[in-house]
Amino acid sequence: MRHLKETLYQQCLDYVQQRMDAAELGIKEAQQASKDDTKSSAGDKYETGREMAQQETNRNMAQLTEANKLKIALNSITTQPTIKLVETGSVVITNNGNFYIAISAGTLTVNDKAYFAISPASPIGFKMKGLKIGDIFELNGTTYKIDSIL
């Protein structure tokens, strides 16, 4: 099962890297657009173009910062077997879905099985933290029973 945790962890790393790459590309493109925007007799048009490029750069910088935070969070997660309580890094199998407690990265697939990569601070991650096999919890009207923890 360690292979499963390592695969999920790597998929989360790939997700973060894709976000970082997209943000860095957006920053480069916005900076290039700002440089390419030549000042014409219509000064307002030039200033508007530069301001739009700056806003785009700022938006991408914020996305890059968020992706870096996710990467830092991932770096603190181990793929080693965990104690039998739900904690960050756990793979939790329930009657209503499989979860990887790491970062919010959407649905990951390993061996044709779906795993929801969730943050421990998410509502469901928060509800699961510290629970053990056989425990039952409810969220938004749905009852979950923990079948296994990897």
Side-chain angles (χ1 to χ4, degrees), residues 80-145:
Q80 299 298 314
T82 59
I83 56 173
K84 292 300 174 187
L85 295 176
V86 177
E87 62 185 4
T88 301
S90 295
V91 176
V92 183
I93 310 301
T94 74
N95 62 322
N96 276 315
N98 306 319
F99 301 90
Y100 178 49
I101 315 296
I103 62 168
S104 294
T107 305
L108 308 174
T109 304
V110 178
N111 297 329
D112 297 323
K113 286 187 182 176
Y115 297 85
F116 301 103
I118 61 170
S119 163
S122 69
I124 193 164
F126 187 76
K127 280 266 193 181
M128 279 195 264
K129 192 164 178 78
L131 296 181
K132 62 186 179 310
I133 294 171
D135 283 351
I136 295 171
F137 66 97
E138 188 176 318
L139 182 68
N140 297 331
T142 302
T143 301
Y144 296 84
K145 179 178 183 255

